[in-house]
Amino acid sequence: NAGVTQTPKFRVLKTGQSMTLLCAQDMNHEYMYWYRQDPGMGLRLIHYSVGEGTTAKGEVPDGYNVSRLKKQNFLLGLESAAPSQTSVYFCASRPLVNSPLHFGNGTRLTVT
Amino acid sequence: DAKTTQPPSMDCAEGRAANLPCNHSTISGNEYVYWYRQIHSQGPQYIIHGLKNNETNEMASLIITEDRKSSTLILPHATLRDTAVYYCIVSGTGTASKLTFGTGTRLQVTL
């Protein structure tokens, strides 16, 4: 039982490049979330999903797109990376809306 | 979802109880109080949560005031490994409810 797995762990992109971050959970959770964390700051919600095939915007959605084609996977896409997107990205999931979040170990993304 | 206010930092001697306060004066009746912590740059780790009653588990205790406008996380015997950023979050039970993380309290446990 791996929990929440994020791929890749590290990535360096050049401005304008695109990439997809993968979040996979093996706990059959309905709800999934993408957060970003900048140095010295708390986590800010980018997008979230309340079930397979659904997505919704969070606090800082601009410049990102997401998809939840399968219940266990939540993908975060950057179509044209910018230096302002340099951050640590965390994925989380939970089975019910009033249950605790389970977090992955993060993806450290640098955009030069 | 209600917002929370926490002190930016606190110190605690190893072996003593660490009491971390949180103010959530705009909390509504169906909103839960959650506590997480983040050690270094790892993913946040769930500690405990509650609605109105005090809660205890193997990691900590959560004390919620009767009016529910504030709460305290208690680590009964802090160790160096408890040094982390602690986040207090309030979240409702609606389908679109989500957890919003502030900047938390940086707890430094010292010898």
Side-chain angles (χ1 to χ4, degrees):
Chain A
N1 195 347
V4 178
T5 302
Q6 293 185 232
T7 310
K9 291 183 171 55
F10 302 92
R11 185 72 186 268
V12 178
L13 286 180
K14 293 186 177 180
T15 299
Q17 287 184 319
S18 64
M19 79 164 292
T20 300
L21 281 65
L22 171 63
C23 177
Q25 52 95 2
D26 61 0
M27 299 172 284
N28 201 35
H29 287 176
E30 288 292 334
Y31 298 82
M32 297 187 74
Y33 304 80
W34 275 109
Y35 290 88
R36 62 175 286 175
Q37 185 174 34
D38 300 323
M41 303 201 41
L43 282 75
R44 291 186 291 169
L45 183 64
I46 305 171
H47 286 281
Y48 64 103
S49 168
V50 301
E52 181 179 311
T54 74
T55 63
K57 293 180 180 180
E59 187 184 356
V60 288
D62 294 343
Y64 304 95
N65 56 74
V66 287
S67 64
R68 183 106 182 263
L69 299 179
K70 293 183 179 181
K71 186 176 184 179
Q72 63 267 34
N73 295 336
F74 195 28
L75 278 62
L76 178 71
L78 287 73
E79 290 184 349
S80 179
S84 61
Q85 293 178 305
T86 293
S87 190
V88 181
Y89 292 85
F90 289 103
C91 175
S93 70
R94 58 180 174 176
L96 302 170
V97 72
N98 59 346
S99 58
L101 285 170
H102 299 250
F103 280 87
N105 285 326
T107 294
R108 283 150 183 78
L109 175 65
T110 301
V111 183
T112 60
Chain B
D1 297 328
K3 290 191 176 179
T4 62
T5 304
Q6 299 177 252
S9 63
M10 293 183 65
D11 293 327
C12 179
E14 190 176 35
R16 307 296 289 269
N19 297 283
L20 289 84
C22 180
N23 183 288
H24 32 79
S25 57
T26 60
I27 194 170
S28 58
N30 66 346
E31 290 182 314
Y32 285 76
V33 179
Y34 288 83
W35 283 84
Y36 289 78
R37 71 181 184 184
Q38 187 175 27
I39 298 173
H40 296 302
S41 298
Q42 298 174 17
Q45 174 191 23
Y46 166 76
I47 302 173
I48 198 167
H49 75 288
L51 184 61
K52 58 177 77 172
N53 297 322
N54 297 338
E55 302 286 346
T56 295
N57 62 22
E58 65 278 4
M59 289 181 68
S61 294
L62 173 60
I63 308 298
I64 302 174
T65 57
E66 193 169 339
D67 63 7
R68 303 211 319 124
K69 293 185 176 183
S70 65
S71 61
T72 301
L73 177 75
I74 301 173
L75 307 178
H77 305 286
T79 71
L80 297 177
R81 284 186 286 186
D82 292 321
T83 293
V85 178
Y86 287 77
Y87 297 98
C88 167
I89 298 128
V90 172
S91 179
T93 57
T95 302
S97 184
K98 45 201 178 292
L99 298 183
T100 300
F101 287 73
T103 52
T105 295
R106 182 171 297 277
L107 175 68
Q108 181 69 51
V109 180
T110 57
L111 291 171

